[in-house]
Amino acid sequence: MIRQLMFAVALATGLVAQPSVAAHGVRNVVLVHGAWADGSSWSKVIPLLEKAGLNAVAVQNPLTSLEDDLAATKRAIALQDGPVILVGHSSAGVVITEAGADPKVAGLVYVAAFAPDVGEPVGNLGKDFPPPPGLAELRPDAEGYLTMTTKGVMESFVPDLPVAQGKLIAGTQGATNGAVFGAKVANAAWKMKPTWYVVAANDRMIQPDLERKFAKTMNAKTITLPSNHMAMLSHPAEVAKLIIEAARTAPINQ
């Protein structure tokens, strides 16, 4: 009986000594997907964040314009009951760079994402580097929307995922208005908020050296993964770990 009592006390003490993220950090994570994708991009990360005690929601960006994507993201931020870690992948880095100015946003996590400065169009950000191979597989329609060929998805977007999953992503991709890549932000929230960055070392959609440049410019806490563009699907544990770190350490008294 005494041993059981001592075990119960030790267990309770251990639980107290390791507080959850929800109790002692930012509770909410808003995840924003990029071009040719949807909210399911975060399907492997969300359960890991929830297991860590976080409330995680994925935005469904319309991909019709930066303004429309911003509106969807801002609605998601507004629905949260406290401070938010805002996470963006790929072109959604532009979205979180602007939306991150919201006072509720405590920190920004970029996952193989663009991080423009004020007035910089996305299409110009990689001009100092060789074009990434995936761009050659984009096809415009009569209304200016771009889709990626199945070949492009399989070889450049998600080459490190199982074939069946890659084909599903190709078939469900979100057509993206080309105007998104000419948009400019009016705010660069990374200048005001703490930042974290995931560099995808084998990226064929955004040049890895450009990603490293963004991370260095922002002075972001950076990890590099041996992944292609969709790092959160090929390496969900590592991506989730960085987001959890952001939630635990971001200041919440802004």
Side-chain angles (χ1 to χ4, degrees):
M1 183 69 179
I2 294 176
R3 287 183 178 179
Q4 291 176 335
L5 180 60
M6 291 176 65
F7 176 77
V9 171
L11 178 61
T13 303
L15 292 173
V16 171
Q18 300 180 32
S20 68
V21 175
H24 293 276
V26 178
R27 294 184 59 252
N28 303 297
V29 178
V30 173
L31 303 149
V32 192
H33 70 82
W36 310 294
D38 62 17
S40 67
S41 299
W42 305 103
S43 60
K44 296 181 181 180
V45 169
I46 288 174
L48 300 176
L49 299 181
E50 291 178 341
K51 185 176 181 181
L54 294 167
N55 169 50
V57 297
V59 176
Q60 292 289 355
N61 277 336
L63 303 175
T64 48
S65 68
L66 175 60
E67 291 74 18
D68 291 343
D69 289 353
L70 276 171
T73 300
K74 288 179 178 179
R75 287 195 298 271
I77 294 170
L79 288 172
Q80 306 313 305
D81 61 0
V84 169
I85 295 297
L86 191 57
V87 185
H89 173 249
S90 191
S91 62
V94 184
V95 178
I96 71 169
T97 293
E98 179 73 49
D102 188 301
K104 290 178 75 171
V105 175
L108 304 166
V109 180
Y110 292 78
V111 181
F114 292 111
D117 203 343
V118 173
E120 286 185 323
V122 179
N124 290 347
L125 291 174
K127 63 182 180 180
D128 296 330
F129 301 89
L135 298 189
E137 295 299 320
L138 298 177
R139 302 291 183 265
D141 66 12
E143 297 184 12
Y145 282 83
L146 300 168
T147 56
M148 187 175 299
T149 66
T150 299
K151 177 178 182 288
V153 172
M154 302 300 289
E155 294 182 357
S156 293
F157 204 62
V158 292
D160 47 0
L161 293 182
V163 171
Q165 189 175 7
K167 289 183 176 179
L168 179 61
I169 290 171
T172 59
Q173 66 177 289
T176 302
N177 195 311
V180 168
F181 301 101
K184 303 175 183 178
V185 297
N187 295 286
W190 51 263
K191 293 183 176 180
M192 305 173 284
K193 308 289 177 76
T195 58
W196 290 259
Y197 200 104
V198 176
V199 172
N202 302 321
D203 204 329
R204 292 169 58 88
M205 296 302 302
I206 300 176
Q207 304 93 326
D209 283 342
L210 179 59
E211 295 177 13
R212 295 183 184 98
K213 179 181 177 181
F214 290 139
K216 182 178 180 180
T217 299
M218 294 188 293
N219 194 30
K221 171 64 183 295
T222 304
I223 63 171
T224 300
L225 300 178
S227 73
N228 211 274
H229 191 54
M230 298 290 279
M232 62 281 211
L233 287 174
S234 61
H235 292 75
E238 294 93 330
V239 173
K241 182 179 178 181
L242 189 67
I243 296 170
I244 292 166
E245 177 186 328
R248 284 178 173 155
T249 60
I252 58 175
N253 57 346
Q254 299 182 44

